[in-house]
Amino acid sequence: MTKPNVLSGMQPSAGSLHLGNYLGALINWVEMQDDYNAFYCVVDLHAITVAQDPAELRRNTRVTAAQYLAAGIDENKSALFVQSHVPAHAQLAWVLMTMTGFGEAGRMTQFKDKTQKGGTDVASVGLFTYPVLMAADILLYQANKVPVGEDQRQHLELTRDLATRFNSRFGETFAIPEGVIFKETAKIFDLQNPTAKMSKSGDPKGLVNIMDDSSVILKKIKSAVTDTDAEIRFDRETKPGVSNLLGIHSAISGQSIESLEDHFAGKGYGDLKSEVAEVVLSRIEPIRDRANELLTDEAELDRLLAQGAQKANELAEKTLGMVYDRIGFIPSGR
Ligand code: TYM
């Protein structure tokens, strides 16, 4: 029996992934490699929807790929590639854009959030069509599953709508993808502002980067915002900071929230923070060290990415060819 397909991606828009990226998505990618035909990409086309410095983008693309590998993505099990190495992403996105309503794209909350500060005049058209490119990423690989964090849910809905629309107009072409969004880790919160999601655009003190020095990570966790009562109990409404720390601990240690509440009964916030820091560092340090090691040999890293792109191109070309044919483009004769 052939395995179902999985696809996911992350933007190379920073010098490090953060704990939210890791716990919300990457950890699940690693899990899924054995049971799925897996495609994992670094979405550089998405990153340029906001201005990027070319040298930094190049660096961040490799740093992101190195972190995938260091976290456990196995290049022999999964196709690990860079989005711009597979031209079909941009090509399919164009086709899907012609089938996306202007109002439909305008309802995407991430676009609304990102343009809230500067307004739509400074936002690029690429930022507006960003979710359509994401739909192309997913549909090209006939992905059945898409492991992501909660913030991508609406984009996945759009992807499903576009796939269904295309299929009903031109005949069965795309698999209809489902999100893999685990409730407990779908949203890791900012350590300083625990009702907002952890993000690179949030408070730097509330952001745990995988590539940070251990002393920096330790300091950030020790300074995490908690609350004024002293009880270690999970309650997102009234104790968001404590709940976030318990959630992070549980996601890495595998212990249930209930057993952690028992374990911490009678202990103080200092104990909680020390233990969370210990659990986080014991997981992240080897990933950071391995990523740095991989980055010392860029040629080898680029070779792995080229190998992944070759695998990805095969399926992407096949899907795009089918799409072009169905919509009525004549063969190019290549
Ligand atoms: P990006 O690069 O912003 O984030 C990468 C992944 O990390 C998840 N994530 C979080 N999960 C839990 N808690 C958080 N605080 C947190 N912050 C981020 C995101 O949900 C995501 O899974 N549009 C996507 C990239 C993308 C993509 C795709 C994903 C492009 N094409 C195709 C899946 C399939 C994005 O901007 O993710």
Side-chain angles (χ1 to χ4, degrees), residues 7-11 18 20-21 24-25 43 46 83 110 130 134 137-138 146-152 155 185-189 197-200:
L7 172 123
S8 201
M10 299 203 189
Q11 297 192 66
H18 59 71
N21 300 138
V43 294
H46 278 105
Q83 190 185 29
Q110 201 164 63
Y130 174 115
M134 176 164 161
D137 300 342
I138 297 168
V146 185
V148 284
E150 178 61 40
D151 58 356
Q152 300 302 313
H155 293 162
T185 48
K187 199 167 179 184
I188 300 297
F189 295 84
K197 76 167 177 185
M198 185 179 284
S199 120
K200 54 196 166 252

Side-chain angles (χ1 to χ4, degrees), residues 195-247:
T195 52
K197 76 167 177 185
M198 185 179 284
S199 120
K200 54 196 166 252
S201 50
D203 183 342
K205 293 203 280 305
L207 175 73
V208 176
N209 283 313
I210 293 189
M211 302 302 282
D212 276 349
D213 281 342
S214 301
S215 59
V216 174
I217 296 177
L218 186 67
K219 194 163 165 218
K220 286 180 181 176
I221 296 178
K222 292 261 179 155
S223 331
V225 164
T226 46
D227 53 45
T228 50
D229 85 50
E231 205 189 350
I232 299 178
R233 185 168 49 81
F234 190 92
D235 183 340
R236 290 257 189 232
E237 289 291 308
T238 59
K239 301 175 75 68
V242 170
S243 303
N244 190 35
L245 292 172
L246 285 170

Side-chain angles (χ1 to χ4, degrees), residues 96-302:
L96 295 176
M97 270 186 248
T98 66
M99 303 181 65
T100 309
F102 198 82
E104 190 176 28
R107 282 192 290 278
M108 295 294 117
T109 53
Q110 201 164 63
F111 176 75
K112 288 199 236 169
D113 291 349
K114 284 195 177 168
T115 50
Q116 211 168 29
K117 263 190 236 146
T120 47
D121 280 348
V122 296
S124 68
V125 175
L127 188 65
F128 185 67
T129 56
Y130 174 115
V132 186
L133 176 60
M134 176 164 161
D137 300 342
I138 297 168
L139 300 180
L140 270 181
Y141 300 94
Q142 305 290 357
N144 306 96
K145 301 279 178 184
V146 185
V148 284
E150 178 61 40
D151 58 356
Q152 300 302 313
R153 192 183 285 280
Q154 197 189 23
H155 293 162
L156 280 181
E157 265 323 299
L158 175 72
T159 305
R160 289 166 59 87
D161 288 347
L162 289 172
T164 309
R165 194 171 302 161
F166 191 100
N167 286 353
S168 63
R169 197 159 146 202
F170 299 108
E172 281 306 304
T173 306
F174 296 124
I176 310 293
E178 273 173 35
V180 178
I181 304 174
F182 288 109
K183 193 166 161 276
E184 297 76 17
T185 48
K187 199 167 179 184
I188 300 297
F189 295 84
D190 185 312
L191 298 181
Q192 286 301 316
N193 181 12
T195 52
K197 76 167 177 185
M198 185 179 284
S199 120
K200 54 196 166 252
S201 50
D203 183 342
K205 293 203 280 305
L207 175 73
V208 176
N209 283 313
I210 293 189
M211 302 302 282
D212 276 349
D213 281 342
S214 301
S215 59
V216 174
I217 296 177
L218 186 67
K219 194 163 165 218
K220 286 180 181 176
I221 296 178
K222 292 261 179 155
S223 331
V225 164
T226 46
D227 53 45
T228 50
D229 85 50
E231 205 189 350
I232 299 178
R233 185 168 49 81
F234 190 92
D235 183 340
R236 290 257 189 232
E237 289 291 308
T238 59
K239 301 175 75 68
V242 170
S243 303
N244 190 35
L245 292 172
L246 285 170
I248 291 170
H249 188 314
S250 167
I252 299 177
S253 68
Q255 296 178 53
S256 69
I257 297 286
E258 298 74 47
S259 74
L260 288 175
E261 283 174 335
D262 286 349
H263 168 72
F264 285 112
K267 296 193 178 141
Y269 289 161
D271 300 308
L272 172 66
K273 290 180 186 177
S274 298
E275 205 176 305
V276 170
E278 203 181 299
V279 166
V280 168
L281 285 174
S282 69
R283 175 63 67 92
I284 276 186
E285 278 171 342
I287 298 179
R288 179 196 60 209
D289 295 349
R290 177 72 187 130
N292 279 325
E293 206 176 295
L294 287 161
L295 286 163
T296 59
D297 191 352
E298 284 188 357
E300 173 60 10
L301 194 57
D302 290 359

